[in-house]
Amino acid sequence: MFTVYVASEEGLRTQIVEHVKNIPGAVLTGSSTELRQALEECAAENPGVLLVDDTLLTQNVGLYEQITRVPYPVVVMASPADAEAARRALTIRAKDFISLDTWTHDLPAILSRTATPLEGEVHRDGRVFVVFSSKGGVGKTTLSVNLGIALAKASRQPVAILDLDIQFGDVAPMVGDAPLVTLYDLVKGTRHVDQDMVKRTLKRVANNVYILAAPNNPEEADDIRADHIVQILQLLRETHSYVIVDTAPGYTDMNVAAFDFADTILTVCTPDVVTLRTVGQALQVFYEGFHYSRDKVRIVLNRSGSKTGVETIDIAQVLQSPVSYQLPSDGSYPVRAANEGAPLIVQFPDSLLSRAVQHMAAQLVQETEGRQRSTPKKLSKLPFLARLRRKPQ
Ligand SMILES: Nc1ncnc2c1ncn2[C@@H]1O[C@H](COP(=O)(O)OP(=O)(O)O)[C@@H](O)[C@H]1O
Ligand SMILES: [Mg+2]
């Protein structure tokens, strides 16, 4: 397995991207028609190989020096008849040269032999967050997506977002993506999921941010089982520093598997009495049924400051737990961003909610980097009801 970044003029870029997607073992990590942007994105992602169309080199002489210093291999694609092109490739210390006459044939072999394989990557042992609520429409997906992007930015580390709202998941549309491959494609017909399969299903949606989308059709959810989710989470945390799991309400086997696996459960509530009542019940299950620690289950108050007559202080009293994070109401910005098919934090980075999520991400990164990771996880094999009756150990 290796990752490829493509920098090329528009017409050729689309063709190359299509070819790269069909090369076994190659994962497209990004593409751009601007060399400067390509270098910026590659600085964050460190691809296995950067493929550059010579036309972009002719337009960006000022960037040659920077290219000679990049830590990943660079391959240039140019016309074999152009002697100047060969010289440019030498100047930027390209590892290889692909001829425009035969590129469709040569691309797989040249990329495979030049790219740095993924096998050498670090074992990350990432922190797993599950974003949960007993209610729909409280902002779980909004938080999952925007926190994911903010964590990647604050930590400069890879982040995966798994959409476990398996029937009506909307992580992909919220980032403006229509996924071709989903969780369903990853698990159908198999009991064992491996790292290569997961990597092929992940879709890059921003710098260092990858999503594993929910199935396209609700009926496909039937094929997904709790033990698939445990395997997938284990594989994701080996390759990503942060893993965020968006969920649908309910104590399904799959959600319970994710709760057990999580380092931190972010329980989202809003300042209204009906939501608070069910969130209170959910917290009781976490603390008294599952015996999770007060640190593992944290409360996120979304739409805080809304004039609902319920104050933050009342909320902490009703839930008998402190509110760990407060996210303000942000008017129509979240809906506008979703309608424009872009995450809020990308579209309106200075909006109230974007800033609050960035602050939350900065806190979480500081906390994560500062603390020693816990010992390997013990996963409960007991079904949900049996676990509710279990005595604390
Ligand atoms: N803090 C907020 N301010 C304004 N609108 C919000 C806020 N949080 C969420 N929303 C909006 O509320 C709706 C439900 O949010 P969503 O994240 O889909 O909830 P859930 O995933 O819990 O069902 C969306 O239209 C979203 O844009
Ligand atoms: Mg949702």
Side-chain angles (χ1 to χ4, degrees), residues 15-28:
Q15 289 179 49
I16 300 174
V17 163
E18 280 317 304
H19 270 79
V20 168
K21 284 185 185 159
N22 291 323
I23 299 175
V27 177
L28 185 78

Side-chain angles (χ1 to χ4, degrees), residues 141 165 170 246:
T141 307
D165 184 348
D170 51 3
D246 187 21

Side-chain angles (χ1 to χ4, degrees), residues 145-146 149 174-176 205-206 337-338 340-349 354:
V145 165
N146 291 290
I149 295 172
M174 205 174 270
V175 296
V205 294
E340 286 170 35
L344 175 79
I345 212 158
V346 173
Q347 196 75 346
F348 303 110
S354 292

Side-chain angles (χ1 to χ4, degrees), residues 136-142 144 163 165 168-171 174 246-249:
V138 293
K140 296 181 294 296
T141 307
T142 306
S144 299
D163 192 345
D165 184 348
F168 299 105
D170 51 3
V171 167
M174 205 174 270
D246 187 21
T247 58

